[in-house]
Each structure stands twice: as structure tokens, then as C-alpha cells.
Amino acid sequence: MPSSYISIPVSFCILIIATSLCSAADTISAGQPLAGRGGKLVSKNGKFALGFFQRWTGSRSSTPKWYLGIWFNTVPELTPAWVANRENPLPDGTSSELIISDDGNLAIFNRPNRSILWSSQANTTTNNTIAVLLNSGDLVLSDASNSTAIFWRSFDHMTDTFLPGARMGRNKVTGWTHGLVSNKNSHDLSPGIYSGHPSPDSANFELLLSWNSSVTYWSSGQWEGQYFSNMPEMSGRYLFFSEFVSNDREEYYTYWLKNETVVTRYVLDVDGQAKMVLWSDASAEWIFFYPKPDAQCEAYAVCGPFTVCREDVLPFCNCMKGFSIRSQEDWELGDRTGGCNRNIPLNCASSNSGISGGLTDMFYAMRNVIYPDNAKHIEAGSAEECGKSCLGDCSCYAYSYSGKCSVWNSQLLNVLQRYNGSASDEGILYLRLAAEELKTSKHKRRMIVRLVIAATIFAALSLFAIICMFVRRRKRQHSSMEPSNIRGGIMAFGYKDLRHATKNFSEKLGGGSFGSVFKGVLPDSTVIAVKRLDGARQEEKEFRAELSSIGMIQHINLVKLIGFCCQGSKRLLVYEYMPNHSLDAHLFQSSGMPLCWGTRYKIALGVARGLAYLHENCQDCIIHCDIKPQNILLDASFVPKIADFGMAKFVRRDFSRVITTMRGTMGYLAPEWISGVAISSKVDVYSYGMVLLEIIFGRRNSGEEYNSDSTYLPVQVVNKLLQGNVQCLMDQSMHDGINLEEVERACRVACWCIQDHESHRLTMGEVVWILEGLIKVDVPPMPKVLEAISGGTDSTIA
Ligand SMILES: *[C@@H]1O[C@H](CO)[C@@H](O)[C@H](O)[C@H]1NC(C)=O
Ligand SMILES: *[C@@H]1O[C@H](CO)[C@@H](O)[C@H](O)[C@H]1NC(C)=O
Ligand SMILES: *[C@@H]1O[C@H](CO)[C@@H](O)[C@H](O)[C@H]1NC(C)=O
Ligand SMILES: *[C@@H]1O[C@H](CO)[C@@H](O)[C@H](O)[C@H]1NC(C)=O
Ligand SMILES: *[C@@H]1O[C@H](CO)[C@@H](O)[C@H](O)[C@H]1NC(C)=O
Ligand SMILES: *[C@@H]1O[C@H](CO)[C@@H](O)[C@H](O)[C@H]1NC(C)=O
Ligand SMILES: *[C@@H]1O[C@H](CO)[C@@H](O)[C@H](O)[C@H]1NC(C)=O
């Protein structure tokens, strides 16, 4: 009897000790503080942890600082999701603990001098409270005897991270707003200059991004029922559900995950972009997508004062001429609010007194810029007068003149340079610099001017000679309608000739945003396809891209350019005619002839060979940038030809990457496009993988057929590959002749091509070898981004 009496409390104690050893607690109560040294709360699902951690807040500052915060427990690199004391980091976390203070609030208690260093400062009605770290990553302080009486929660005090389940909005009763404030730099967690918050106008709920609480540079637009108008990708089709709630007490936007196991967050980055971020176990890194605003330079003053932001060069922030970086250390940590400093001070006094011969300030013309803010308009009859009045004012830093005179008296913020580099008189900013600054380059400039003049004269003479030759030749062939052969077999056609050949552009083969394609016949009865570029804005760029890429190369799997016409404003390209049109007609449209397996496999291999040639065999690597079934044409015997090089990019051999604006077609875009980093030829590999899946299965990866009941095709394919049973997904229209070994091989290739991380994808050369059966590959891992975006695996699909 007595033995059993004793055994109950003993085993009870053992149980308590065992649970506290095995799993970290998720609760703090009055008697159970969290120790600064080694203490940690872990949410029940193991996803989040709370505790003290240290961070170096600057690369050269010697001692790390301590923060109390919540981080992602399953992610190896410590990534804070919330920080309690971002304004007041602790010098030493090991002597502190997180307690429930006498008034029931959460507090950081410093043991050596018994002081409170941080408190949740809520109006508690009892001091009998507990704090629990929930599965969502929310730390909630509530009445210990009534968990629905909540006094404070970390979700109401977000730092730079908006976790699924948190609310971005406003409490209409108290006026409290829930928003984000970026970190100061990539190490220092103290509040930075960018903020994300609901619009102050409560009649019109929008989410805004602002700089220094004063300049709004991006807005989400109105709620459209399922998403905000400027962020349609948040419609919750793939990764999460979104919701906007508005009632008497509050209005807020929230989102939550379709699959709780995905580790993701929405963050307002130090560079002013708000982004969705997803942890990829496969590549062991955070993957960014859906940045807002889309372009880095649209984040207001992202480079700081006296800088120029350009989208097309890396680094995108550069000092203006005559300026250098103020603090290299801050700059490298991503905090560029300091901007750049003037190298040589202005000689304002001497220019003001008008002493001739003395050093005066001069202006440096910056072309193609979008002007800084806060211009002051003054009366001036001419550009010269405008410049003079700027020189006369010691506080004038720059001027511009386009009908009216604008001057800038404050530091120049948010200057963007356009990327196409064509000189135009619009958008010239005259930057005031000390004369010494320009003197050094003036000598050089004179040299350059002389060279340019010489080159121009030479070019003019050559052009004259060519025109003379051309005119004489045309006179000779006047009635023969022979186009002139310029180089490498490419002909220059006259517009009239092409209009005649296409019977006044009567037989249209297709069209797109670029313009239209027409069928035609040349006098020697060659059948041609004539592409007429109509889009006024892009046409010159695309015309040149196409001429310079496809014009110089020839390969059986690349469409052959026969010639072009460049007359006045007319831009046309002439190709060999493809009787079987484009691949998408055969794959997705009932009108096209269904392709048998053997043909499909040959097409897949042909496209791979064409791309491998572009990437690896040309003088410069050519990235096509828009591989999709519409751009793969089929000749009479179904040999595939890659077409439409209007978006192609050249990458010099000694570089492997190029930074460019996003181009291509949704559904075939590699994730790195979306995250805005420099791209490589692996973007084509990704698109090829997507196209290959469509070739194999004869249906679109996504589109109208897609609904939330069926899993995204690429994800299904990887699942079936892992189960060793891809045949069950095959197109019914192919009847027989399916070579199961080839199907398996092609599926593996496709899935290796669509891996999240570029380095995991195959090269096009490897794709060719594998499809030819020369080398073998293993079953690929699941591409995590795709899986997450498509809402996870679905085992109910047979
Ligand atoms: C709560 O407050 C009462 C009196 O205000 C005090 O006696 C008691 O110790 C407090 N309890 C805790 C857990 O701090
Ligand atoms: C207690 O120590 C901390 C850290 O050493 C310090 O920040 C704080 O000011 C001190 N408080 C008092 C009341 O001395
Ligand atoms: C706490 O109550 C006081 C007085 O009623 C009020 O002024 C204050 O805003 C409240 N604080 C919070 C965080 O609700
Ligand atoms: C628990 O707290 C809620 C919210 O303050 C309150 O409405 C409810 O009556 C409380 N329940 C009990 C049993 O005290
Ligand atoms: C931000 O605004 C404050 C006051 O509104 C101003 O004092 C400060 O200089 C501004 N910061 C920058 C970097 O311009
Ligand atoms: C360059 O950009 C300017 C302004 O956007 C535009 O007017 C001009 O046509 C562009 N030039 C080319 C060659 O694209
Ligand atoms: C969620 O994703 C994981 C892998 O990330 C997967 O194993 C699990 O089955 C998914 N759950 C659901 C309900 O889709």
C-alpha cells in the first residue's frame, strides 16, 4: 500500500522532467521564465522558436548585440520573423530572461541590476497571465485562467515580416494600425526607412509602401474580391488563401497557407521591395518571388542621394559623376540611405562674384534620366538662362530645361536612368559640379570628339559609296525585282516587293504582340513567311535582336531568315515558310493532326539540338528567352525549327549572366526571372522542360483546364516518376507506338530541367545526350517552388 502511495508522485515527477527534457516548452508563466542562456520556446508543430539570439549589427563593429525574437526553427540559418527589442538591442543576453512581470506583462528582466529592459506594455486586467508561442509563430499573452482573454500578441507588433495568419490593417476602435517596417540593413534589425501599411484613407483600403513615412512609392490597389488589383498573383490560386475582412471593429488583409508544412513569409526588405519568400530545403536557401514594386529602381530613393539607379546593370546603384559612396560599409550591408558625397566642393563664391577667369562651377549632362523629386520651377526664357540662374544660386545643385526651367535646391533623390541608351533631348539633367571635376575629363573628351568626328566622316564617305553602288545596281536590276544580297545569304527586300509577294498582306498566318505574319511567294516560287512588326514601341529593338541573332546563324533546328526590309518606318522579316505551322496547334488544338510518339520524341530532340547550338556553339551565347510551343515551327516533315528571336539576349563568352527586364511567357518562366536576379541560359532550359512536358503529355501544364481539384501537371509527373509509373498520365490520343522507355527518359529530362535552382538543371547539351540515350539520369527530386505554388501533392489523382 505505502509503496503505491509513493510511486504516484514520483512517476508524475519523472513524467514532468521527461517532457521538459524531450520537447522544449511553448509556454511562459509566472513561475517559468525563459532563461537568456540557452532558453528557447518551440511551437507545438516545431516550426517556430522564441529566445535570445545575437547578431553582428555591422561588419566592423566589434561586439554582437542581443535580441529577443521569434525565428524559423527548421531553417538552419537563423532568420528572425519577429523581434521584441529591435530599437534597443541588449549588450548581453545571457544575463537576461523573459518573464511575466508583476503586472502580468511580458518583460525582459536584467538579473544583475534587476531592471526591466523591455515590456509588452499591455493593459492587463490580471497579473495571472501566460504567454504561448502558437503554431503560426504568434506569441500570445493571455489570462492564465481564460485563454480567450488576450492582452497582447506579437502579430499586432510586426517588424519586417508578415507571417501567414497575421493581419495587415487597422483596428477601427483604437486606431491601431498593423504594418511592416524594414530592417536598417541586412545585419542590423533596427527600423529602417521603408514601411508597409494600410492607406490612411479608411474609405479606400489599400496597402501602401512608403519611404521615410512621407513618400508613397507603391500601392496594392483596391481589393478585387480575391486579390488586390496590383498584386493579382496573390489571388491564392497556388500557395495560399487570401482574405480581406472589414467590419465595425477592424479592417485587415490576411493570408494563410494551403499546405502548413511550407515555410514561407512575406517580408519588406532593406531595399524597399516587399517579397514573398519561400524556404527551399533542396537548395538550402530562401527563394524570393513576387517582388513589389517589380523593378528594383521603383523602390523610392533605393540608392540614396546623388546616385543613379539603373535596372540593366549590376550593381544597379551607382554614384553620380563627381560623387563617391559615403559609407562603403553601410552600402555593402544594403543600407544606401547615406548615398554619395561630392568629391570636390562647389566653387560657389567665385562663380557668384562673376570674376572672369576664376574657377566657376560647370554642368555635366546626364542623359535619359527620370528627374529627381522636389523640383522648383523658375522663370527662364531659354536653357542658357535657366543654367545661369542655377549658377547664380549657391544652393542649386542641378537644372533641367524642357520648355520650362526646373532647378533643384535639395539633395538629388531617386534619379533613374533609362536603359535603352539612345540619346534624346528629353530627360537631360544638368548636374552642377566643380570645374576641376570636369577639367580632367575635358581633355579626354576633346580627344574623343576628334575621334568621333573622324569616324563620322569616314562612315559618311563609306555610306555614300555604298549608296552609289546600291543605286547603280538597283538601276541595273530595276524590273527584275531581285532583292539585293547583303551578307551571309540574307537579302534586303524592298517594301513594294514584299507587298507584292504577299498579295498586299492578304494571307495572315498568325500574329502576336509584335505584329503579324503573312504568307507570300517570291518570283522564284519560294514560299515565304513575312513577319511585319507593328508594335510601335518595341519594334526597333526586336527587329535588331532578331536580325543580329538569327541572321548570323544557321542550324537545321532554327528557323531560317531569308531576308528583311527596313524602309522608312517599315520593319519586316522574311523567313522560310513552315507548312505545318507551330507546335501548339498540334499539341493543344483539335484542328491540328495529333502527333504520334515517334514524331513527338523527334521534335523534343530537335528543339534540344537547336537550343544547344544557340547556347554552346555560337560565337556568343544566345539566350532565346521565350521558348514555348508557339515559337516552335514544324516543316513539311515535322522537323522542328525554333523561331521568334525578338526577345533573345546575347551573353559574351566570358560572362555567363546578363541582367535584363523580365521577358517571356507566364507558365514557362524560370523562378529566377521572377526574383529579378541576373539570368543565364538556364532560363531557356527551364522553359524547355515545361515545353517538353507538354510535348510528352499533349496537354498544357496549366490553363483553363486547370482547377484546384487537379494537381499541376509538372508536380504530378515528378510524383509519378518517384512512384515509377508515369505511363498512366499519357495522352489518350496517341493510341499505340508509345515507347515506354523513351517516355520515362523524356520525363526525367523534363523534370531535371524545371528544378528550382539553376545549377541543378541540365545543360541543353546534356539534354541532347540523354534523349539520344548516350547517358542516363536518375529520378529527379521534386522542384519545391512548383510544388508549393501548385498547392502540394495530391495523392487522389490516379
Ligand atoms: C499579482 O498581484 C498581487 C497584488 O497586486 C501580488 O500579491 C501577487 O504577488 C501578484 N502575482 C504575481 C504572480 O506576480
Ligand atoms: C541595467 O543594465 C542594463 C544593461 O547592462 C542597462 O542597459 C540598464 O540601463 C541598467 N539599468 C539600471 C536601472 O541601471
Ligand atoms: C491602456 O489604457 C490606457 C488608459 O485607459 C490607454 O490610454 C492606453 O492607450 C491603453 N493602452 C493600450 C496598449 O491599449
Ligand atoms: C474570458 O474572456 C473573455 C474575453 O475577455 C470574456 O468574454 C469571457 O467572459 C471570459 N470567460 C470567463 C469564464 O471568464
Ligand atoms: C526623414 O524624414 C525626417 C523628418 O520627416 C527628416 O528629418 C529626415 O532627414 C528624413 N530622412 C532622410 C534620409 O531624408
Ligand atoms: C528609349 O527610351 C525612350 C523613352 O522611353 C523612348 O522614347 C525611345 O524610343 C527608346 N528608344 C529605343 C531605341 O527603344
Ligand atoms: C504538404 O507538403 C509536403 C511536402 O512539402 C507533403 O509531403 C504533404 O503531403 C503536403 N500536404 C498536403 C495536405 O498537401
Side-chain angles (χ1 to χ4, degrees), residues 91-92 110 112-115 117:
D92 180 16
N110 187 33
N113 62 12
R114 307 195 59 79
S115 62
L117 302 179

Side-chain angles (χ1 to χ4, degrees), residues 352-538:
N352 214 14
S353 60
I355 303 164
S356 58
L359 285 173
T360 58
D361 295 329
M362 299 178 92
F363 290 104
Y364 172 75
M366 297 169 62
R367 287 177 191 278
N368 285 327
V369 298
I370 294 172
Y371 296 132
D373 288 353
N374 306 323
K376 219 173 71 185
H377 300 294
I378 59 171
E379 288 299 323
S382 67
E384 206 187 344
E385 215 175 285
C386 183
K388 272 197 185 136
S389 35
C390 183
L391 272 187
D393 175 0
C394 276
S395 68
C396 178
Y397 293 135
Y399 80 92
S400 78
Y401 188 85
S402 51
K404 63 177 194 265
C405 174
S406 312
V407 296
W408 283 268
N409 296 102
S410 53
Q411 51 186 10
L412 305 178
L413 268 184
N414 206 42
V415 176
L416 277 59
Q417 195 148 27
R418 284 200 191 108
Y419 109 150
N420 66 20
S422 73
S424 70
D425 279 345
E426 242 175 293
I428 302 183
L429 181 72
Y430 294 93
L431 175 69
R432 181 179 189 165
L433 292 175
E436 294 99 308
E437 188 68 58
L438 289 170
K439 230 172 56 180
T440 41
S441 46
K442 212 172 174 186
H443 190 71
K444 261 192 248 158
R445 196 155 19 121
R446 226 174 262 153
M447 280 288 287
I448 292 170
V449 166
R450 270 182 215 151
L451 277 177
V452 167
I453 290 174
T456 314
I457 291 172
F458 178 76
L461 285 177
S462 324
L463 191 71
F464 185 68
I466 290 172
I467 289 173
C468 287
M469 266 165 58
F470 195 75
V471 166
R472 219 183 297 158
R473 240 174 93 177
R474 271 196 80 88
K475 267 189 189 145
R476 244 188 291 149
Q477 328 163 322
H478 192 60
S479 55
S480 70
M481 210 190 114
E482 277 275 306
S484 47
N485 192 331
I486 295 284
R487 62 153 190 222
I490 301 181
M491 325 259 202
F493 288 92
Y495 183 69
K496 259 194 216 152
D497 304 338
L498 289 182
R499 201 174 59 192
H500 188 253
T502 57
K503 300 203 186 85
N504 202 14
F505 302 105
S506 53
E507 197 175 335
K508 190 164 166 174
L509 295 172
S513 56
F514 55 84
S516 315
V517 182
F518 301 92
K519 189 175 175 179
V521 183
L522 290 182
D524 66 357
S525 45
T526 312
V527 188
I528 53 170
V530 179
K531 177 158 138 186
R532 193 175 68 186
L533 299 166
D534 294 333
R537 202 168 52 84
Q538 283 290 320

Side-chain angles (χ1 to χ4, degrees), residues 193 211-214 305 337-338 411 413:
I193 202 146
W211 175 86
N212 201 19
S213 309
S214 54
T337 45
Q411 51 186 10
L413 268 184

Side-chain angles (χ1 to χ4, degrees), residues 539-552:
E539 79 175 9
E540 189 67 28
K541 214 150 107 200
E542 290 192 5
F543 180 74
R544 287 201 206 142
E546 188 127 18
L547 254 187
S548 49
S549 47
I550 192 67
M552 293 192 296

Side-chain angles (χ1 to χ4, degrees), residues 529-576:
V530 179
K531 177 158 138 186
R532 193 175 68 186
L533 299 166
D534 294 333
R537 202 168 52 84
Q538 283 290 320
E539 79 175 9
E540 189 67 28
K541 214 150 107 200
E542 290 192 5
F543 180 74
R544 287 201 206 142
E546 188 127 18
L547 254 187
S548 49
S549 47
I550 192 67
M552 293 192 296
I553 48 178
Q554 282 197 17
H555 186 271
I556 170 90
N557 296 116
L558 303 178
V559 74
K560 191 172 161 213
L561 184 71
I562 297 175
F564 64 95
C565 163
C566 173
Q567 209 171 316
S569 64
K570 304 277 195 295
R571 298 285 181 274
L572 299 102
L573 293 158
V574 181
Y575 303 93
E576 55 180 338

